[in-house]
Amino acid sequence: MAEAASEDLLLAAAFVSDAQYNRNIPFKTSPEAVRLYRLYNHWTMRTATYFFIFLNLSLAMFEEPAVYPLPFLVTSLVEVLCLLVFFGRLTHFARVTHRSVFWKDTKNICIMAAILLSLTDLAIYGVLRIYNMKSVRWSRIVRPIFLINFAESRQIRRAFRSIRNTLPEITYVFLLFMFSLLMFSLMALKLFGERNLQTAEGLPYFRNYLEIVFDLYVLVTTANSPDVMMPAFDFSSWYALFFIAFVIVNTYIFMSLFLAVVYNNYKKHLKNEIRKLAYMKRRKMIEAFNLLKEEEGAQFVVREARWKQLVKLVAPDISNSHRELLLHISDDEQKNFIDKKSFLQLADLLNIQVITLKIRSHPLGRWMPRVYKSAVSRFLRSMVRHRIWLHLLYTFPSEWVFLALYIIEILLKVYTYEPRAFFGKNQFWNWFDTLIIFAALTATILNTTLKSTTKYNSQQILDIVFILRVLRLIRIVDSIQRFRVIMNTLINIIPTMLTFGGLTLVVYCVFAIIGMELFHGKIQFFPANSNAPHALECGNPALKDSLFARGKYCKNNFNNFASSFIVLMELTVVNQWHVFANGFANVTAQPAKLYFIAFHIVMVIIIVNIFVSFILEAFFVEYSLEKSEVETAIEQKIQELGMGVQEDELQDEQLLENMENADHNLEGEGGSKPQSKGLVFKIASKRYRTVDALLQRMFEAEIPPEDEGPSFEEILNFSPSDALPSNRTSESAA
């Protein structure tokens, strides 16, 4: 019986942990599978997986064409090691999921196919290399599949699903856009093709239909404006009307339509994803409750001792005082059990960061109480705490005076505030200020030393000091209330920026590898004083008198992985991208322009617009943000226990330090009355919550507490057209 109860507890902990971190992996429920599943989700396993994924991607830096060449044997052994780790991770995943589920999961098939293709290509390339036969490592293009398809990368997969779901609607708009572009190109050919006009480079102007289509597509991005218009405009001012009409229709209307369609579909499918997560969390918490429930009168409950064991398994790192606080919230009436409604909130309680704080008095107040509590000392400390102190010191002009005053400022703050609290692990701005001042002091001493011992006259180090001083102005911006929403939004979108960073990395890797195969060695960079043949034409006579060569863009090439990334970043910015396209087309063939058009469509029109859509949604959420029911319950319980602290009290005379001390407990003797022992609590700032969590919270508020939601299978098959919670409830009631 005891062994069965322990197994149920372990399984319930797995369900609660999945609900807490929004995992939707349908794992086996046998004791061995649950233990393997907990190991699979351990942070060390996830970290190791990411390490080998990025190691595998970074091999392109060391393989031909390489930034830092390594022998083929070394890179091949590293790649085989990475593939073995990926296979082991996939095997581990297969051990914890049902066979039918595993083989129906597309991402598992993709990983296995990528491993097989990589090994096959590696073997073929190695054999051909032995016989000195040139070959192409075509499997490098599948390496990003590992970043996308492992279970840890669900955020990146969700972003790709957003793209996939948005593509049908984008396709219709894109077809209309292409029709408009082709029609305007045809009109341009008829208007200007027989005028014998020439460009500034002396080339024929608008006489080739395909070149007209490309030039007008570039005009949509504004990269060649107004250059593309000038020959016609010089011939007749009335021709400007054609280009004005083109820009209005295609740049302003169609590009705005792209954003509108992307945002509308992104929002629709984002809500569907969030709805899945919300119902999945509810279902997993219900499964955990059913495993631990006991009958108490007319209802089922979870006993207090069982609840504590569960929380220790799910969140072993939180302090006893934090755990007791959560228990007081869940068992508000001190009945020694937790009912179903309160139990279902456990994942939300664990997701809300409650900071345990300990009141500390300043050491000088204990060592020299008369001096520290004197009128002069109190005046000095009140002056340091005042907001004006921040604005005066952060804008002082002189470098030496700045440094001296800021050192005095830090010393005064340590004098005013308790030192261990001032340098607590959550006191970001205090650490920021101290590190900036320490770096500035080090730079100033180094500059003075170099001047006194050598003929050093550079201002570079003092420039660094100035930059460090400017960085401290960030704190003034953060202290202004009207900027808080913007700052909060910027902080909240950081996790999603990492997601879109991963998405961009995937796109860049694919296009970089394709670009190296297409354009490697076609363009070379030479130093300014080089006497090499065709050095001024980037090593290729086909670029003579071209904008690419005259602009000295020779270093923008696809000769290695790093250079390719830089070129792709410049193409993402859009400006002058047509110069790159024409340059590489000149050294290869005109169809090479399709590579640059494809990158612009994928990266700029689709991915950047999806990122903009997320920013818009993030601002809407931030402006409509209110405290959740769970947060309110936590704050109320903290105040009832007399152990609360407000945000603005953190810099009061009784300073607080973030503390995770397992020796502190909220219960007094006999478990009756909570004893603070110098402890207080506060809810962490809302600025450190992700936008996904906020959206999920908004959706969960629409789900009635009594609604247990659909089954796991129904949740996974949700579509955007499915009924919302309110509709679903009313239908079931009918």
Side-chain angles (χ1 to χ4, degrees):
M1 180 68 73
E3 184 179 351
S6 175
E7 292 174 356
D8 287 344
L9 185 65
L10 201 63
L11 180 57
F15 280 129
V16 174
S17 180
D18 277 5
Q20 182 184 1
Y21 295 108
N22 285 323
R23 291 190 290 260
N24 57 359
I25 300 174
F27 60 91
K28 297 177 184 177
T29 55
S30 64
E32 181 186 0
V34 171
R35 291 186 179 89
L36 284 172
Y37 183 64
R38 286 172 62 84
L39 176 63
Y40 181 87
N41 290 317
H42 198 272
W43 70 269
T44 55
M45 301 293 286
R46 297 199 307 271
T47 303
T49 303
Y50 277 123
F51 171 78
F52 282 101
I53 287 173
F54 287 106
L55 178 62
N56 190 45
L57 289 174
S58 67
L59 285 176
M61 300 280 289
F62 309 99
E63 297 169 330
E64 296 180 359
V67 182
Y68 307 104
L70 287 178
F72 170 73
L73 181 62
V74 174
T75 58
S76 58
L77 288 176
V78 172
E79 184 171 7
V80 170
L81 174 62
C82 292
L83 295 176
L84 288 174
V85 170
F86 299 152
F87 183 75
R89 185 68 169 163
L90 192 64
T91 304
H92 192 169
F93 186 78
R95 293 284 303 277
V96 302
T97 56
H98 298 282
R99 182 176 299 178
S100 59
V101 174
F102 179 85
W103 289 108
K104 286 181 181 178
D105 196 334
T106 308
K107 64 179 182 289
N108 299 330
I109 306 300
C110 289
I111 292 173
M112 285 190 291
I115 292 174
L116 183 61
L117 289 173
S118 298
L119 288 174
T120 304
D121 179 45
L122 188 62
I124 294 173
Y125 184 84
V127 171
L128 293 176
R129 186 181 177 90
I130 292 174
Y131 293 99
N132 296 320
M133 297 175 65
K134 187 176 180 181
S135 180
V136 175
R137 284 298 314 276
W138 49 266
S139 69
R140 294 194 296 176
I141 202 171
V142 305
R143 287 176 182 172
I145 288 177
F146 300 116
L147 178 61
I148 300 170
N149 286 286
F150 273 111
E152 292 81 0
S153 304
R154 61 182 182 273
Q155 297 290 349
I156 297 178
R157 283 196 304 278
R158 199 173 83 185
F160 270 104
R161 282 198 300 270
S162 296
I163 294 174
R164 184 188 64 197
N165 295 328
T166 305
L167 279 179
E169 296 295 332
I170 289 181
T171 302
Y172 292 123
V173 179
F174 186 76
L175 290 175
L176 285 175
F177 164 71
M178 287 304 300
F179 176 76
S180 172
L181 179 64
L182 294 174
M183 291 298 295
F184 272 98
S185 300
L186 185 60
M187 287 188 283
L189 179 63
K190 295 299 181 182
L191 282 173
F192 312 120
E194 298 178 359
R195 306 287 182 186
N196 293 322
L197 302 178
Q198 291 184 333
T199 64
E201 294 80 27
L203 300 175
Y205 178 73
F206 277 15
R207 297 182 196 175
N208 182 289
Y209 183 68
L210 292 179
E211 290 183 1
I212 295 172
V213 173
F214 177 75
D215 288 337
L216 290 184
Y217 182 85
V218 175
L219 180 58
V220 173
T221 68
T222 71
N224 61 353
S225 178
D227 297 353
V228 72
M229 181 185 76
M230 293 313 298
F233 186 52
D234 290 341
F235 183 80
S236 174
S237 299
W238 290 103
Y239 284 141
L241 296 176
F242 170 84
F243 294 95
I244 292 172
F246 177 84
V247 168
I248 290 173
V249 172
N250 295 280
T251 301
Y252 292 111
I253 295 179
F254 271 106
M255 291 301 108
S256 299
L257 277 176
F258 275 120
L259 177 58
V261 169
V262 169
Y263 176 67
N264 182 58
N265 283 273
Y266 172 79
K267 186 175 181 180
K268 179 172 65 176
H269 292 287
L270 175 65
K271 287 184 176 180
N272 185 50
E273 296 279 352
I274 296 299
R275 191 151 50 96
K276 283 184 181 180
L277 293 177
Y279 273 127
M280 186 66 74
K281 182 168 76 172
R282 175 70 62 91
R283 172 53 59 184
K284 286 183 179 288
M285 290 305 299
I286 290 171
E287 294 292 332
F289 179 81
N290 291 337
L291 286 167
L292 303 179
K293 67 183 180 182
E294 297 180 20
E295 192 170 357
E296 176 70 24
Q299 63 176 336
F300 287 100
V301 299
V302 175
R303 298 294 176 188
E304 179 182 308
R306 199 81 161 140
W307 185 92
K308 287 183 177 180
Q309 291 175 336
L310 176 67
V311 174
K312 283 184 179 180
L313 276 175
V314 177
D317 297 330
I318 67 173
S319 64
N320 286 340
S321 55
H322 186 178
R323 193 178 302 117
E324 291 294 335
L325 173 66
L326 299 184
L327 177 60
H328 277 76
I329 296 164
S330 300
D331 184 15
D332 189 42
E333 299 179 3
Q334 303 297 302
K335 295 180 179 179
N336 296 324
F337 61 76
I338 291 88
D339 60 22
K340 184 176 182 179
K341 180 181 178 182
S342 299
F343 184 88
L344 296 183
Q345 292 182 335
L346 177 57
D348 295 323
L349 288 172
L350 293 173
N351 275 330
I352 295 173
Q353 185 183 1
V354 178
I355 300 177
T356 308
L357 305 153
K358 186 174 182 180
I359 301 174
R360 298 182 185 274
S361 60
H362 200 288
L364 294 178
R366 299 192 301 269
W367 301 337
M368 299 181 296
R370 286 190 177 181
V371 175
Y372 193 73
K373 295 180 180 179
S374 65
V376 175
S377 177
R378 288 199 303 270
F379 172 76
L380 182 61
R381 284 182 279 140
S382 64
M383 182 177 66
V384 171
R385 294 190 192 101
H386 202 280
R387 186 179 298 272
I388 294 177
W389 178 269
L390 178 74
H391 293 272
L392 284 177
L393 287 179
Y394 277 54
T395 56
F396 212 93
S398 173
E399 311 303 337
W400 286 98
V401 176
F402 141 78
L403 187 58
L405 284 178
Y406 279 10
I407 292 174
I408 294 172
E409 178 204 10
I410 291 295
L411 295 175
L412 286 175
K413 283 186 174 181
V414 173
Y415 173 78
T416 302
Y417 304 123
E418 201 277 327
R420 286 177 295 179
F422 183 77
F423 291 111
K425 64 181 180 181
N426 278 334
Q427 300 296 335
F428 169 77
W429 286 117
N430 295 340
W431 280 103
F432 179 81
D433 289 345
T434 305
L435 291 175
I436 290 293
I437 292 169
F438 177 77
L441 179 62
T442 304
T444 305
I445 294 173
L446 178 62
N447 185 74
T448 305
T449 304
L450 289 174
K451 281 188 174 181
S452 61
T453 57
T454 64
K455 295 181 179 180
Y456 176 81
N457 292 315
S458 176
Q459 288 290 114
Q460 289 182 355
I461 295 181
L462 288 180
D463 290 341
I464 293 173
V465 175
F466 176 76
I467 292 171
L468 293 174
R469 188 188 72 180
V470 171
L471 285 176
R472 296 197 77 200
L473 295 176
I474 297 173
R475 189 165 183 177
I476 293 182
V477 174
D478 188 67
S479 67
I480 299 173
Q481 185 64 34
R482 292 184 180 274
F483 292 145
R484 285 285 175 89
V485 171
I486 298 174
M487 295 293 290
N488 289 347
T489 304
L490 292 175
I491 293 172
N492 286 336
I493 66 175
I494 287 175
T496 302
M497 288 180 69
L498 295 177
T499 298
F500 280 93
L503 189 63
T504 302
L505 177 64
V506 170
V507 175
Y508 274 29
C509 283
V510 171
F511 275 91
I513 292 169
I514 295 174
M516 286 190 294
E517 297 298 339
L518 292 176
F519 308 118
H520 172 252
K522 303 295 184 182
I523 292 175
Q524 301 290 336
F525 170 74
F526 299 93
N529 56 354
S530 175
N531 295 321
H534 305 295
L536 296 179
E537 292 85 27
C538 306
N540 198 314
L543 291 176
K544 186 176 181 180
D545 296 328
S546 66
L547 288 175
F548 192 95
R550 283 189 290 170
K552 297 184 178 180
Y553 292 160
C554 304
K555 207 167 187 178
N556 296 298
N557 54 57
F558 288 90
N559 293 346
N560 57 58
F561 199 62
S563 295
S564 302
F565 259 62
I566 294 172
V567 172
L568 294 176
M569 188 276 295
E570 292 169 332
L571 293 175
T572 305
V573 177
V574 173
N575 190 36
Q576 296 291 78
W577 74 275
H578 63 294
V579 177
F580 287 39
N582 285 319
F584 284 99
N586 289 341
V587 299
T588 52
Q590 290 304 308
K593 293 177 181 178
L594 294 175
Y595 169 87
F596 297 90
I597 294 174
F599 179 80
H600 180 267
I601 292 172
V602 172
M603 192 67 215
V604 179
I605 293 182
I606 298 178
I607 294 180
V608 171
N609 274 329
I610 285 182
F611 183 67
V612 172
S613 300
F614 182 84
I615 298 294
L616 291 173
E617 192 68 14
F619 268 96
F620 294 153
V621 171
E622 188 64 39
Y623 275 104
S624 61
L625 181 66
E626 294 179 357
K627 288 181 180 177
S628 69
E629 180 182 347
V630 177
E631 286 175 311
T632 304
I634 292 178
E635 289 188 343
Q636 287 178 351
K637 180 55 64 176
I638 289 173
Q639 297 304 323
E640 287 175 13
L641 295 172
M643 303 175 68
V645 60
Q646 301 299 323
E647 189 76 25
D648 54 359
E649 292 176 359
L650 288 180
Q651 297 296 342
D652 205 348
E653 186 165 347
Q654 292 181 324
L655 273 183
L656 308 166
E657 180 184 18
N658 185 4
M659 177 180 171
E660 294 294 341
N661 190 340
D663 297 332
H664 291 285
N665 195 297
L666 282 183
E667 294 190 17
E669 295 180 5
S672 57
K673 186 178 179 180
Q675 302 293 328
S676 68
K677 297 183 181 181
L679 289 178
V680 290
F681 301 94
K682 83 178 189 73
I683 302 290
S685 173
K686 69 181 181 182
R687 61 169 48 193
Y688 300 107
R689 303 167 198 164
T690 65
V691 176
D692 280 4
L694 301 177
L695 288 171
Q696 184 173 330
R697 193 186 75 192
M698 293 171 67
F699 181 83
E700 287 172 344
E702 302 175 10
I703 306 177
E706 66 277 3
D707 185 5
E708 295 192 358
S711 64
F712 285 127
E713 293 76 13
E714 292 173 330
I715 294 170
L716 293 174
N717 293 324
F718 269 167
S719 68
S721 59
D722 289 338
L724 292 173
S726 56
N727 298 338
R728 192 180 163 277
T729 305
S730 61
E731 288 173 7
S732 61

